[in-house]
Amino acid sequence: MLLTLLCLAFEETLSFPPRQVDLYKEALDALLRKWDTSRLIGRDTFYKNLSFSRREHLLESIASKFYFDSRTAFRKNEVEAVILDYLSQLPDKEKSGSGDASLVLRQIEAQHGLIVERAVGIFTFSHLTLQEYFTASHIVKSHDERLLDSLVRAGLQDQKWREVILYTVGLLPSADPIVTGK
């Protein structure tokens, strides 16, 4: 998966991004935004109508929900509940039925391979770094200083937050909130 991300990022710009966080940003942009259209692949499900930003936000919601709970594997019904919660928050014209959560999960798996079924009914992100990146992206987009503070405190106590902190710093316009604690 990581090699695929490198190739996608390189194909977009004909160079490798200088920072790892930029690699993820460019590769995921290519994967979520341009993958189907560049290969003339047509999709006929609700998921195809979700915008790039909505797909990205959905993946951030899934990643952060389980990462904050210290979980890298989750049951199908649990991830479908997160998807359903996200879909229910969409404006009325974009809402879908409750049966679409399972379909959306399958489409994420089939179209992008970002979330995969590892065992019957057990899902994970295809690589831990994807979950860490999407969690960091969720933290940055939340604009919640308390969340940043708790991230720094957690990072000082638990090594599992190291990559999330590094991605968060890379995604922030300025690392001052994390470095200074303000």
Side-chain angles (χ1 to χ4, degrees):
M1 183 65 178
L2 294 175
L3 182 58
T4 300
L5 291 177
L6 270 170
C7 292
L8 284 169
F10 185 82
E11 185 178 311
E12 285 297 305
T13 62
L14 298 178
S15 66
F16 289 110
R19 302 178 314 152
Q20 186 177 2
V21 72
D22 296 330
L23 164 69
Y24 282 98
K25 192 182 285 187
E26 289 178 22
L28 291 168
D29 176 58
L31 192 61
L32 294 174
R33 191 182 296 230
K34 304 168 187 163
W35 185 258
D36 287 355
T37 52
S38 69
R39 283 152 183 77
L40 302 175
I41 298 171
R43 307 284 184 193
D44 58 353
T45 65
F46 167 77
Y47 183 69
K48 81 167 183 140
N49 294 324
L50 284 178
S51 68
F52 162 73
S53 60
R54 295 225 192 274
R55 290 179 189 192
E56 186 175 42
H57 189 254
L58 174 59
L59 289 162
E60 291 165 355
S61 297
I62 295 168
S64 61
K65 158 71 174 124
F66 294 109
Y67 204 83
F68 288 143
D69 290 343
S70 297
R71 297 181 50 207
T72 56
F74 24 90
R75 296 188 189 290
K76 181 179 180 185
N77 64 328
E78 294 171 323
V79 72
E80 285 177 352
V82 175
I83 292 169
L84 187 57
D85 181 55
Y86 177 80
L87 296 178
S88 70
Q89 295 176 31
L90 294 176
D92 285 342
K93 65 181 180 174
E94 296 181 51
K95 283 188 180 173
S96 66
S98 62
D100 285 341
S102 179
L103 183 59
V104 168
L105 177 59
R106 287 293 171 204
Q107 289 299 306
I108 292 170
E109 181 180 25
Q111 290 182 28
H112 312 302
L114 296 173
I115 294 178
V116 295
E117 188 171 21
R118 299 285 184 188
V120 176
I122 304 295
F123 289 82
T124 68
F125 277 83
S126 55
H127 199 280
L128 177 60
T129 58
L130 292 171
Q131 187 175 5
E132 292 167 335
Y133 172 83
F134 281 123
T135 299
S137 185
H138 169 82
I139 291 167
V140 169
K141 290 177 183 175
S142 74
H143 303 288
D144 185 343
E145 289 182 27
R146 290 177 305 181
L147 185 56
L148 282 174
D149 289 341
S150 63
L151 174 66
V152 171
R153 281 193 304 279
L156 293 172
Q157 298 172 4
D158 189 348
Q159 188 64 20
K160 86 167 193 159
W161 289 98
R162 181 181 185 279
E163 292 301 316
V164 174
I165 290 172
L166 292 174
Y167 292 142
T168 301
V169 168
L171 290 168
L172 285 169
S174 168
D176 289 349
I178 288 184
V179 175
T180 63
K182 296 179 183 177

